[in-house]
Amino acid sequence: MERTANPNMKNILADLTESQKEAVTHGAGPLLVLAGPGSGKTRVITRRIAWLISSGVPPHRILAVTFTNKAAEEMRSRLRAMDVPPGSTLCTFHSLCTRLLREFPAEAGVVARFSIYDQADQKAVLREIYKEKSLDVQTYPPAAVLRRIGRDKSGLSRSGTRFREDFSAGLSATSATTRSSLTTESTGSSEALLKEIAESYERKLASAGALDFDDLLGRTAELLKSRDDIRAKLGRRYEYLMVDEYQDTNTCQYRIARDLAREHGNLFVTGDPDQSIYGWRGADIENILAFERDFPGSPVIRLEENFRSTPQVLHLADRLIRSNVRRKEKRLISRRAEGAAPRLYRYADEHEEALGAASWIRTMREDQEIEYKRIAVFYRTNAMSRVLEEALVRAHIPYQIVKGLEFLQRREIKDMLAYLRILANPADEISLLRIINRPARGIGETTVRKLLASARSSEKDFWSLLENPSEIKELSPASVSRLGKFVELVRGLQSCLEASVADIAREIYLRSGLKEVLREEKNEDAMENVEELIRSAEEFDAEFASAGGLALFLHQTALMSDVDGYDEAAGAVSLMTLHSAKGLEFAAVLIVGVEEGMIPHFRSTEEGRDLEEERRLLFVGITRAERILALSHARTRTMHGVSRPAALSTFLKDIDGLEVVPSPLLTGAFGTRPSVRDAGGPISVAASPQADSVDGPSGAVLKTGDRVKHPSIGPGRIELIIPDGERSRVVIKFDSGARLTLVLKFARLEPLDR
């Protein structure tokens, strides 16, 4: 194929370091780019794409794979800004696999319009299995069972042995007594029980025409392994393959990347073993550590210059991570000016720590003049956010919890998506079970159980039985009639499949009765959420008018991750777990709960997990900070209702570069100093003046509980009104998840119907 350089391309190599230039201009063959935190690896990948295209490589011959939709969109945005011709494929591993399975369904052994089951759907499948086998959810926690099934479904490890750790070791949520009982069940050993559950799980997914996230990877890896013709075709299609965050690849992802590059060997990977933090979900750090062995003769380029953090932050990070053994040596060289020493705050308990966090945030905003949106608080587990939220609400500090999947788990959204899914795939049993009586149409649990029993005995799928309910003798004429009306509803909606996704969603909302029920319930929040889903469908239709319709929309929605919920424009402090912080950066970062049992987490020792990964997790959190870094720990912490002594994390012991601040006075943060919480005593915080209503700028009276809309943030509900003349403020919980304190005079709020 003739290749012609693009003369209109901007200067691709401008403002790159020598090592970055070397990576960008690498020719054919494999290459490992060891990219330390903040070293510009996204810039290197996008500039390399631009360089390849300017050298004559057709854009559609380039594939760049990363781990989050956010990272892929960032790459697209940078390429657009450089006027790079479109056509390259930039996506996540799961998105790539979804595309390939939709292109080659028969060859991969999947139905053409398969559903993708998220964790909530997977748990629903397990609940059905537990009912059939009389298993107890408390004794056999679904999350632990799914973790084990997922690991086994990922296939062989690099050493060629399947994951065989004791099943009971994964049931961390149960007591020791319960765990030991797993090996004495009548079904046999824990391994035999797991095999029985897993086989039932696989049968149910196959019957529903559904795949889980592990299936997307596993089926694709098997397709490339078993079909040389398809592998060769894809190898020719994607002549240049780039994989970002290579340290986070699992066995299937490793195989997919290796097989796609087998035709040409042009595998360009970036990553950092020190930032490998997903071993608990199957990531294999050995993939990056052994890259030179897997691809003999491959050069290695180190990006060691850090453009993000101050020397003080990097010094602490370097001292921390040098204790790890499984890593590749590299330097952390800051390109920023000197900054303040990181601080370690020591508190009495988690309540004082939360108040200290609010005080620290206020100091960052007022003294350091850092915008709220450039401040973040990290923690090890989501359960730690509650006391932080309470403190920030009291201090009238706006915040958002970065948990992008929360919107998709709301009942009304799950209902709408279930309707959409059965239109794309009527065999989707979990979706059918969800909406067969939602809204209520007189199809009770007894009827559903009879249908399921008949499906199991006849080995028919659930939808086939619904289409002919009169064949089931156990059903009453009234039940048959109601089921017939439901089938008519679905068939009527199926006639809309040629319409846009947004129009299909509107028809479902209206015809199903969901809109009428929500209106009767006066559930304005739920109604606004459905409207937001329809708006997202409109945006999808505008971008992918002829690229796959409903199935693609459902697949994109199913593949969202937590970090996709991060809204940089929200104007709020970000609260998130250390895992969610990966790939982000903030001017000021506070990491709370740096204690034994938290960081490292107690499960890392109970379950034999890698302590080095826990250290890497803290390293990732530290290196998100640009200017200011603070850490904190409490001497006692209440978890699961029990208050226990807490010791400083062993990771921080004997590490210099930390300025220790014991129990700081919190004067000024709340107008008065709160008392320190002692043995069971409450925290005393001076209450701000409050009011039930206030006159809005347009003359409308706003009340606590009113629904309002901000022109850029969207709809929300007023939680608190703080009268203060020209500086009167309102605290609003927005539907996006952000809680913001806005000066009413400048907020431009529009009252919604009450």
Side-chain angles (χ1 to χ4, degrees):
M1 181 178 295
E2 183 179 352
R3 300 184 175 189
T4 304
N6 185 344
N8 299 318
M9 194 77 71
K10 294 180 180 179
N11 189 351
I12 298 165
L13 302 182
D15 66 17
L16 296 182
T17 66
E18 289 305 313
S19 56
Q20 288 175 334
K21 289 179 183 177
E22 186 181 357
V24 167
T25 59
H26 171 72
L31 175 69
L32 169 61
V33 179
L34 281 177
S39 61
K41 66 178 176 63
T42 302
R43 171 183 292 187
V44 165
I45 294 173
T46 52
R47 297 291 181 90
R48 175 163 175 76
I49 293 172
W51 182 82
L52 287 170
I53 294 173
S54 71
S55 302
V57 177
H60 63 273
R61 298 292 190 201
I62 300 172
L63 169 63
V65 186
T66 186
F67 276 80
T68 67
N69 295 314
K70 181 179 177 61
E73 181 53 40
E74 172 65 18
M75 291 180 189
R76 293 189 197 100
S77 177
R78 294 193 187 195
L79 290 171
R80 285 193 296 267
M82 296 174 64
D83 296 323
V84 176
S88 301
T89 301
L90 291 81
C91 60
T92 65
F93 263 107
H94 287 94
S95 294
L96 173 66
C97 292
T98 300
R99 295 184 190 191
L100 297 181
L101 293 177
R102 291 176 66 221
E103 183 177 355
F104 304 105
E107 295 85 348
V110 302
V111 297
R113 305 181 77 174
F114 58 86
S115 298
I116 299 177
Y117 277 5
D118 61 17
Q119 190 173 62
D121 300 319
Q122 292 176 280
K123 289 181 178 179
V125 173
L126 283 188
R127 283 195 295 271
E128 291 299 315
I129 294 172
Y130 286 11
K131 288 177 183 177
E132 295 170 6
K133 299 183 180 298
S134 299
L135 298 175
D136 179 54
V137 173
Q138 299 300 320
T139 306
Y140 308 98
V145 174
L146 289 173
R147 278 198 302 270
R148 174 58 194 275
I149 292 175
R151 288 184 180 184
D152 276 351
K153 285 174 69 170
S154 294
L156 301 179
S157 68
R158 292 177 60 89
S159 62
T161 57
R162 185 172 290 275
F163 291 99
R164 301 309 299 168
E165 73 275 17
D166 191 318
F167 170 45
S168 62
L171 302 176
S172 55
T174 62
S175 67
T177 301
T178 301
R179 289 197 298 268
S180 65
S181 71
L182 295 176
T183 59
T184 60
E185 292 292 325
S186 59
T187 51
S189 69
S190 59
E191 288 292 338
L193 173 61
L194 176 62
K195 182 179 180 182
E196 189 178 329
I197 294 173
E199 289 174 349
S200 295
Y201 174 84
E202 289 303 308
R203 283 195 298 271
K204 286 186 178 295
L205 261 63
S207 175
L211 304 177
D212 61 24
F213 287 2
D214 294 308
D215 288 325
L216 294 176
L217 300 175
R219 296 296 184 96
T220 303
E222 186 59 32
L223 173 68
L224 295 175
K225 176 184 177 182
S226 61
R227 291 295 298 264
D228 292 344
D229 55 335
I230 293 176
R231 186 186 66 244
K233 178 180 180 179
L234 294 174
R236 292 189 296 271
R237 177 188 299 175
Y238 301 123
E239 186 178 357
Y240 288 87
L241 172 60
M242 282 163 272
V243 179
D244 189 20
E245 306 287 7
Y246 193 69
Q247 77 281 347
D248 291 331
T249 54
N250 63 21
T251 300
C252 284
Q253 290 158 337
Y254 163 81
R255 288 174 170 175
I256 291 167
R258 180 195 63 190
D259 284 345
L260 286 175
R262 186 178 296 183
E263 293 296 308
H264 45 67
N266 298 327
L267 179 60
F268 178 104
V269 306
T270 66
D272 179 10
D274 292 339
Q275 298 184 69
S276 177
I277 59 174
Y278 294 110
W280 53 276
R281 68 182 188 193
D284 189 349
I285 193 175
E286 190 65 21
N287 291 343
I288 191 169
L289 293 176
F291 187 86
E292 298 104 306
R293 186 186 69 205
D294 293 339
F295 302 93
S298 169
V300 178
I301 297 175
R302 286 173 165 79
L303 304 183
E304 298 177 317
E305 294 175 276
N306 181 291
F307 299 88
R308 176 190 300 154
S309 305
T310 64
Q312 286 76 11
V313 171
L314 291 185
H315 172 77
L316 181 67
D318 187 58
R319 287 297 309 276
L320 170 73
I321 204 63
R322 284 185 179 278
S323 295
N324 275 9
V325 174
R326 301 184 72 200
R327 62 189 301 262
K328 286 182 176 288
E329 187 64 32
K330 65 180 180 303
R331 299 176 297 169
L332 298 177
I333 305 169
S334 176
R335 293 284 295 266
R336 294 185 62 121
E338 295 287 322
R343 287 188 168 185
L344 173 64
Y345 293 97
R346 314 187 79 161
Y347 295 102
D349 61 15
E350 71 271 15
H351 297 279
E352 185 184 354
E353 181 183 52
L355 291 172
S359 175
W360 178 84
I361 291 169
R362 185 64 57 80
T363 299
M364 295 299 103
R365 181 70 186 90
E366 297 178 355
D367 295 352
Q368 299 295 328
E369 298 182 345
I370 299 175
E371 295 180 272
Y372 282 134
K373 68 179 182 180
R374 301 288 291 127
I375 302 171
V377 180
F378 303 154
Y379 35 78
R380 181 61 177 84
T381 65
N382 282 308
M384 300 174 71
S385 70
R386 184 184 59 81
V387 290
L388 290 167
E389 289 187 76
E390 292 174 354
L392 297 188
V393 169
R394 293 182 187 183
H396 312 304
I397 293 173
Y399 69 89
Q400 63 172 332
I401 294 182
V402 179
K403 198 173 183 182
L405 300 182
E406 183 179 353
F407 175 78
L408 296 177
Q409 299 306 318
R410 292 170 180 166
R411 174 173 173 167
E412 61 275 7
I413 300 302
K414 292 285 285 185
D415 291 345
M416 286 290 296
L417 291 174
Y419 273 101
L420 287 167
R421 279 165 46 165
I422 63 170
L423 296 188
N425 174 20
D428 186 342
E429 183 177 299
I430 292 301
S431 295
L432 282 169
L433 290 174
R434 181 175 185 88
I435 52 87
I436 193 171
N437 196 41
R438 191 170 296 174
R441 49 179 60 93
I443 302 174
E445 182 70 17
T446 301
T447 298
V448 172
R449 286 292 146 211
K450 289 177 180 178
L451 284 166
L452 287 172
S454 180
R456 304 300 176 253
S457 61
S458 65
E459 297 185 352
K460 292 183 178 180
D461 66 74
F462 197 66
W463 176 249
S464 297
L465 287 177
L466 286 177
E467 290 185 303
N468 299 284
S470 59
E471 296 181 1
I472 304 175
K473 298 179 181 179
E474 293 82 3
L475 293 180
S476 67
S479 295
V480 170
S481 175
R482 296 186 190 107
L483 291 170
K485 290 179 180 178
F486 172 68
V487 171
E488 287 178 11
L489 167 66
V490 175
R491 285 175 174 164
L493 290 170
Q494 286 174 334
S495 67
C496 305
L497 280 174
E498 297 304 316
S500 68
V501 178
D503 285 342
I504 296 173
R506 291 189 188 96
E507 288 298 311
I508 289 172
Y509 193 29
L510 181 63
R511 294 197 205 179
S512 67
L514 285 172
K515 185 173 185 177
E516 181 180 355
V517 168
L518 294 179
R519 184 185 290 124
E520 290 176 353
E521 294 175 350
K522 297 182 179 180
N523 193 338
E524 296 177 359
D525 286 347
M527 294 177 70
E528 186 59 41
N529 289 339
V530 175
E531 291 298 332
E532 177 60 30
L533 178 68
I534 294 174
R535 282 193 290 272
S536 71
E538 290 173 344
E539 294 173 0
F540 169 87
D541 291 329
E543 185 174 358
F544 301 99
S546 59
L550 179 58
L552 180 58
F553 174 76
L554 290 171
H555 290 167
Q556 286 195 349
T557 303
L559 296 177
M560 280 187 64
S561 63
D562 280 351
V563 73
D564 294 323
Y566 170 59
D567 182 6
E568 188 176 356
V573 175
S574 295
L575 308 183
M576 68 186 79
T577 65
L578 285 162
H579 283 98
S580 295
K582 180 77 177 296
L584 303 177
E585 56 185 36
F586 299 89
V589 167
L590 169 63
I591 306 175
V592 301
V594 188
E595 304 150 8
E596 288 295 297
M598 284 295 175
I599 310 174
H601 198 273
F602 70 90
R603 288 180 185 166
S604 65
T605 54
E606 276 194 0
E607 299 179 14
R609 291 183 183 170
D610 192 352
L611 277 175
E612 289 201 354
E613 180 164 314
E614 290 288 305
R615 188 180 281 109
R616 292 193 293 267
L617 185 59
L618 182 56
F619 174 83
V620 165
I622 288 173
T623 54
R624 301 308 95 192
E626 297 172 359
R627 289 173 45 194
I628 299 174
L629 171 68
L631 305 96
S632 69
H633 83 98
R635 293 183 176 87
T636 63
R637 185 172 299 276
T638 302
M639 296 296 293
H640 307 296
V642 180
S643 180
R644 295 185 177 90
L648 177 66
S649 170
T650 186
F651 292 160
L652 294 184
K653 292 178 180 177
D654 302 320
I655 291 183
D656 62 351
L658 268 175
E659 179 183 331
V660 180
V661 183
S663 294
L665 298 178
L666 306 179
T667 54
F670 305 92
T672 184
R673 178 192 170 191
S675 66
V676 175
R677 186 178 188 274
D678 53 23
I683 299 177
S684 171
V685 179
S688 299
Q690 300 178 19
D692 294 328
S693 64
V694 66
D695 291 335
S698 62
V701 177
L702 298 177
K703 299 179 180 179
T704 303
D706 278 359
R707 294 276 297 170
V708 293
K709 186 174 183 179
H710 187 277
S712 60
I713 305 173
R717 188 177 298 279
I718 297 175
E719 291 189 335
L720 187 67
I721 296 173
I722 307 166
D724 191 14
E726 290 288 303
R727 298 291 297 173
S728 292
R729 304 182 300 282
V730 288
V731 179
I732 301 175
K733 174 64 180 297
F734 287 95
D735 294 354
S736 64
R739 181 179 278 106
L740 307 181
T741 304
L742 304 175
V743 177
L744 189 59
K745 180 179 179 180
F746 306 110
R748 296 179 294 158
L749 296 175
E750 174 191 343
L752 298 176
D753 293 337
R754 293 171 181 164

